[in-house]
Amino acid sequence: MDSLKQDVRYAVRTLAKHRGFTAIAVLCLALGIGANATIFSVVNALLLRPLPYAEPNRLVALYETDLKDPEARNALSFADFADIRAGSTSFEALALHYSRFFTVTGGDQPEGVEGEVVTPSLFRILGYKPILGRDFLPEEEQQGKEHVLLLSHGFWERRFASDPKIVGQTLQLNGVAYTVIGVMPRRFSFPEGEQIWVPMALDASSEPRGNHYMDGLGRLKHGVTVEQATRDVNTIAAQLARQYPKTNAGSGATVRPFREELVAGEIRTVVWVMFGAVCFVLAIACANVANLLLARASAREREIAVRTALGASRGRIIRQLLTESVLVALMGGGLGVLFAHLGLKAMIANIPAEIPFWMVFDLDPRVLAFTLVISLVTGLLFGLAPALQASNANLQASLKEGGRGSGAGARRNRLRSSLVIAEVALSLVLLIGASLMVKSFLRLRSVNPGFDAANALTVRIYLGGDKYTEIRTRATIFANVLERLRALPGVSNAAAVSSIPLSGNNSSQSFEIEGQPATPGNAPSAAVRTITATYFGTMKIPLVSGRPFTDREMMDSTPVVLVNQTLAERYWPGKDAIGRRLRMGTDSTAPWLTVVGVAPEVKMRELDTRPEAQIYTTFAFVPYRTMSLIVRTGCPPQAGGCDPTALAAAVRAAVHEVDPTLPLIEMETLRWIVDASFWEKGLYGKMFGVFGIVALVLAAVGVYGVMAYAVSQRTQELGVRMALGAQRGDVFRLVVGRGLWLAGIGLAIGLLGAFGLTRVLSSVLYGVTATDPFIFGGISLLLGGVAFLASYLPARRATRVDPIVALRYE
């Protein structure tokens, strides 16, 4: 222990004496360790930290599946869920839930809130209890007993000022009185952002078995595996398919761990790829510091030789040198924690969506322990080779006057050259991967969504309560609201749609083409949007053929419909779709709808998805209570447009002129919705770009350091060459050629590695292949150019060597 203390004290004095070396080494390692700590905190939050639920490993998500597409995950119908719940033996409990908007009235302003309709067992499955009041009771799943609700902690604080007497009070939701029975804990939200929960009270015998819009959640019994539960529910699904072939033929069921439901496979892939990228950054930083230590080892040959001559063993010298490298790594780790803290703040600032309560990006004890471990391991790894080299010096040659060229010099040069080659190879792989991600993001950003997102404001309104039960009343309200919006100064047009494209709110429905009957369980389906007559004009979507809906068709039930090009070409290839007929669902009594227009392709779900069949219906035919308004300003493009959010107050006033109880929900610009639909890709691109730049800088520093050191070591040789007639250009080419030779080897190795490793990215790229020749060639030229510049300055210095001075050197 005493000798270790001596080593530490000596290492501290040595590092303090050489502040420049220490600062550069610590900064290099801090960049690598900080990047690793940042991404590990993401890995920890998404994949490692246990979910904040009771025994989360037993939580599973329940789906229906399409037997023709095993990867498909479909929502459940209540009737199917009830049969699975009654017949399954694999679960302690099963629950069902779906999202719903509620209008809360009774205060100064009506308020629209996100809510969740749940079966009473949900919170017991999750293992959460209210901090005030009680949970739902099983009997509150029965109709007539469901008018109770739970409040989120945030909603209780904001609207009721944390009133401890809230339990038992009545709240008006959609014009219906609900009794508050409890308040959930702080930060709890399920599934994301919900503010209230109400019990689900449905009758399985009367619920349409074909209505699939609910999500299932279950808790496995002890000892039951996911595979066993999947076989169990699949057996029940097969029985339902035989019993109800019209709605269930071709359908199965499956379960999967709940964490996989929360963290999609694509996100898992990207997170692990980013973790691999920062490991490359750390490896490059380690190579740089190892080169610095090798350079210092040459300057310390005499010191080490003296210590050896005085009796120090090789093991003691190695331990001393490793102590110094570990201290440098620990200082780099401490600074890296600061960099990680700043990196996490920057990352969170670039996430426009609300972060789920279970997803906590912080430097918790697990992340700090990881940082400490990689700091220690890094210190040992980058310090070991230099320590072995330095401790193996030729004692006699090192003790000679001016002895600098001991036998270890050639070995050190080979090791330094190998480290530079490794740096260049790792940098090339990382830069190519980063460039692929950035190019993919730029390609995605340039995708035409099929509509004009500029100068438009969107907001949702919900027609809650009994006064909007009548379909014609709903149609009248929306018609009056749109009329007032179009009359606002600066507004060129306004429309309503059941859900804005790319907003994440999507619904699909099966349909039947006249003359093309579908077999049971094999009916085609399409994305469905309910729109008003001015929708295509407001969104600036030019029809391919036909006409839009009329105002009269919005108010009555005229059986007309619009379809998109994909649907028209798929089911009426080579024919005019106008005048053709289809009907929604599989009910033979449903009316036939005549196609009056064909719309172009519009990106409904994500910008990188393939075209899908789409159907547009009139509001009178599908009278949603929740609709999104689109208000477009009249600013000309040549004037640079204008800020549509300036209309927010006027839009709110216009809606409340029609009905002061209507809440306005999620007022956003259409451009923001488009950008938010692919923010993940943008974040990936930015982070990979930062890692690539850091790798490029570190590689440049590494090449420069090696070449500068080589020139200083070869001063006498270069002087001899110039004394014997070598020209400055010859010396310049010699030095630069050496640097480019090392870089060339690194580039060749890096290209081979990049061809293999970048294929992992293929599943998350858009519009670019994992072997894009322009990126591979361009990045190779860039890195080669950086290597040339890094060799240029040492080469220039070499050409200025005075042969007389060099021949006297040492």
Side-chain angles (χ1 to χ4, degrees):
M1 182 59 70
D2 289 337
S3 62
L4 179 60
K5 291 180 180 179
Q6 292 175 5
D7 288 342
V8 172
R9 284 196 297 267
Y10 185 78
V12 171
R13 291 197 301 269
T14 302
L15 295 175
K17 183 178 179 181
H18 300 88
R19 295 184 181 87
F21 160 81
T22 304
I24 294 173
V26 168
L27 182 59
C28 285
L29 290 175
L31 289 171
I33 294 173
N36 272 265
T38 301
I39 299 305
F40 183 77
S41 69
V42 176
V43 173
N44 183 44
L46 297 181
L47 306 177
L48 302 180
R49 182 186 291 141
L51 294 173
Y53 304 115
E55 297 183 83
N57 291 336
R58 291 201 288 140
L59 289 179
V60 292
L62 174 65
Y63 299 94
E64 290 194 17
T65 60
D66 185 342
L67 297 182
K68 295 180 297 183
D69 182 8
E71 298 300 318
R73 301 287 185 270
N74 301 322
L76 295 161
S77 70
F78 185 80
D80 288 344
F81 167 81
D83 288 332
I84 291 174
R85 181 171 59 177
S88 174
T89 59
S90 299
F91 303 93
E92 281 187 2
L94 282 169
L96 207 58
H97 61 96
Y98 67 90
S99 297
R100 181 180 174 186
F101 276 108
F102 293 93
T103 301
V104 181
T105 53
D108 295 335
Q109 290 286 339
E111 182 177 1
V113 299
E114 288 272 7
E116 198 76 5
V117 183
V118 305
T119 52
S121 58
L122 177 74
F123 296 105
R124 286 184 286 279
I125 289 175
L126 295 175
Y128 271 87
K129 295 180 179 180
I131 59 170
L132 288 179
R134 63 171 177 84
D135 191 0
F136 296 130
L137 301 175
E139 56 265 26
E140 287 168 343
E141 191 174 336
Q142 300 173 18
Q143 293 181 353
K145 298 182 179 180
E146 76 276 17
H147 292 153
V148 294
L149 81 156
L150 289 165
L151 304 179
S152 72
H153 197 282
F155 188 67
W156 173 56
E157 282 184 323
R158 177 173 52 81
R159 190 168 180 100
F160 301 101
S162 301
D163 181 4
K165 298 179 181 179
I166 187 65
V167 175
Q169 293 186 26
T170 299
L171 200 60
Q172 295 288 320
L173 301 184
N174 301 339
V176 178
Y178 280 74
T179 302
V180 177
I181 62 170
V183 177
M184 296 304 292
R186 185 182 297 276
R187 297 191 73 248
F188 172 81
S189 178
F190 185 89
E192 290 181 22
E194 277 63 33
Q195 300 184 66
I196 60 176
W197 295 267
V198 300
M200 186 183 303
L202 298 174
D203 184 358
S205 63
S206 60
E207 273 293 301
R209 194 169 287 273
N211 283 3
H212 296 261
Y213 62 97
M214 304 182 188
D215 296 313
L217 180 72
R219 177 173 292 279
L220 298 175
K221 290 181 178 178
H222 285 287
V224 175
T225 65
V226 171
E227 292 74 19
Q228 290 171 330
T230 296
R231 289 194 294 270
D232 181 17
V233 297
N234 240 327
T235 300
I236 299 172
Q239 295 171 353
L240 295 177
R242 291 190 294 269
Q243 190 173 354
Y244 307 102
K246 191 171 183 178
T247 57
N248 289 59
S251 295
T254 188
V255 299
R256 66 171 178 170
F258 189 53
R259 183 181 284 277
E260 292 184 14
E261 163 72 7
L262 297 176
V263 184
E266 176 182 305
I267 296 177
R268 289 169 174 265
T269 299
V270 172
V271 167
W272 285 119
V273 169
M274 281 199 292
F275 189 66
V278 294
C279 288
F280 278 21
V281 171
L282 182 58
I284 296 168
C286 288
N288 266 355
V289 177
N291 267 325
L292 287 173
L293 288 174
L294 285 170
R296 284 195 67 229
S298 295
R300 299 178 68 181
E301 274 190 10
R302 193 173 185 80
E303 170 204 339
I304 293 171
V306 169
R307 296 184 67 185
T308 303
L310 292 176
S313 66
R314 188 184 182 197
R316 179 64 185 274
I317 291 174
I318 291 174
R319 191 178 72 187
Q320 174 63 58
L321 296 176
L322 285 179
T323 301
E324 293 178 17
S325 64
V326 168
L327 277 179
V328 170
L330 289 176
M331 288 188 286
L335 184 58
V337 169
L338 175 61
F339 286 172
H341 173 70
L342 298 175
L344 286 174
K345 288 183 65 176
M347 183 190 74
I348 293 172
N350 280 274
I351 298 177
E354 180 180 354
I355 300 176
F357 84 101
W358 60 268
M359 193 183 296
V360 180
F361 300 111
D362 62 1
L363 301 175
D364 70 359
R366 189 198 300 262
V367 177
L368 293 177
F370 169 81
T371 305
L372 177 61
V373 170
I374 63 169
S375 298
L376 292 172
V377 172
T378 296
L380 293 173
L381 287 180
F382 75 71
L384 184 59
L388 292 173
Q389 290 277 14
S391 64
N392 197 33
N394 186 313
L395 181 62
Q396 183 178 2
S398 298
L399 290 175
K400 287 181 180 179
E401 180 66 29
R404 289 183 50 183
S406 70
R411 291 194 299 274
R412 288 199 194 101
N413 286 334
R414 286 195 294 271
L415 180 57
R416 289 170 62 84
S417 297
S418 299
L419 290 172
V420 167
I421 290 171
E423 281 188 72
V424 172
L426 292 172
S427 299
L428 183 66
V429 175
L430 181 52
L431 282 167
I432 287 176
S435 299
L436 289 171
M437 292 298 294
V438 171
K439 185 174 181 179
S440 174
F441 166 66
L442 294 176
R443 286 282 178 86
L444 190 62
R445 191 171 187 174
S446 65
V447 169
N448 179 10
F451 55 87
D452 185 358
N455 303 330
L457 187 70
T458 72
V459 64
R460 281 195 284 179
I461 59 176
Y462 177 70
L463 307 181
D466 294 337
K467 66 179 179 178
Y468 292 117
T469 301
E470 295 293 329
I471 295 174
R472 190 164 187 83
T473 304
R474 298 183 204 172
T476 301
I477 285 291
F478 281 116
N480 291 340
V481 167
L482 294 177
E483 181 180 359
R484 280 171 169 75
L485 292 177
R486 285 193 289 268
L488 292 175
V491 172
S492 63
N493 212 340
V497 62
S498 55
S499 65
I500 300 289
L502 301 176
S503 66
N505 299 312
N506 299 289
S507 62
S508 298
Q509 189 171 349
S510 58
F511 65 94
E512 181 182 348
I513 299 292
E514 186 177 32
Q516 302 179 30
T519 58
N522 196 34
S525 64
V528 179
R529 291 290 193 278
T530 292
I531 62 173
T532 59
T534 54
Y535 174 74
F536 291 106
T538 303
M539 296 287 283
K540 294 189 176 181
I541 303 173
L543 293 182
V544 176
S545 61
R547 63 169 178 84
F549 298 134
T550 65
D551 290 332
R552 183 181 62 81
E553 289 165 344
M554 177 182 170
M555 299 297 293
D556 61 30
S557 305
T558 306
V560 292
V561 72
L562 278 88
V563 300
N564 72 335
Q565 275 183 291
T566 297
L567 190 148
E569 293 171 359
R570 184 178 300 169
Y571 296 102
W572 302 294
K575 300 176 182 178
D576 186 3
I578 304 300
R580 306 284 178 173
R581 300 203 303 175
L582 58 83
R583 62 184 171 195
M584 308 303 294
T586 57
D587 186 355
S588 59
T589 63
W592 289 103
L593 307 177
T594 302
V595 177
V596 297
V598 177
E601 305 302 342
V602 174
K603 298 291 186 179
M604 291 294 186
R605 302 177 189 274
E606 295 178 339
L607 286 174
D608 56 354
T609 54
R610 292 176 296 180
E612 60 180 316
Q614 297 166 16
I615 295 174
Y616 300 91
T617 63
T618 65
F619 181 81
F621 186 74
V622 185
Y624 284 99
R625 285 180 178 263
T626 302
M627 294 285 281
S628 292
L629 307 177
I630 308 113
V631 182
R632 183 171 294 280
T633 68
C635 298
Q638 58 269 25
C642 57
D643 183 8
T645 58
L647 292 170
V651 168
R652 191 180 304 275
V655 173
H656 288 167
E657 283 178 11
V658 178
D659 185 344
T661 67
L662 291 179
L664 275 67
I665 308 162
E666 296 178 350
M667 187 176 289
E668 304 287 354
T669 65
L670 193 54
R671 169 54 60 192
W672 185 91
I673 290 175
V674 173
D675 291 343
S677 69
F678 63 98
W679 67 264
E680 299 102 322
K681 303 291 195 307
L683 182 61
Y684 303 155
K686 290 175 185 177
M687 295 182 74
F688 273 104
V690 170
F691 300 151
I693 291 172
V694 172
L696 185 63
V697 171
L698 290 175
V701 170
V703 175
Y704 172 80
V706 165
M707 299 316 301
Y709 176 76
V711 168
S712 67
Q713 290 292 93
R714 301 176 67 185
T715 300
Q716 190 174 32
E717 174 201 340
L718 296 175
V720 171
R721 287 176 179 270
M722 296 181 72
L724 294 176
Q727 301 299 310
R728 293 181 183 274
D730 297 327
V731 173
F732 182 85
R733 286 190 294 272
L734 177 67
V735 176
V736 171
R738 175 64 177 172
L740 293 181
W741 170 251
L742 295 177
I745 297 174
L747 291 174
I749 296 173
L751 283 173
L752 292 175
F755 273 111
L757 294 179
T758 54
R759 294 182 184 276
V760 179
L761 291 173
S762 59
S763 63
V764 296
L765 296 176
Y766 176 80
V768 57
T769 64
T771 56
D772 186 299
F774 294 103
I775 286 181
F776 273 69
I779 297 300
S780 297
L781 290 175
L782 173 64
L783 205 51
V786 168
F788 172 79
L789 291 176
S791 304
Y792 176 79
L793 292 177
R796 285 289 302 273
R797 188 164 62 250
T799 62
R800 294 192 177 98
V801 171
D802 187 333
I804 296 176
V805 175
L807 290 174
R808 291 175 182 169
Y809 198 51
E810 299 181 316

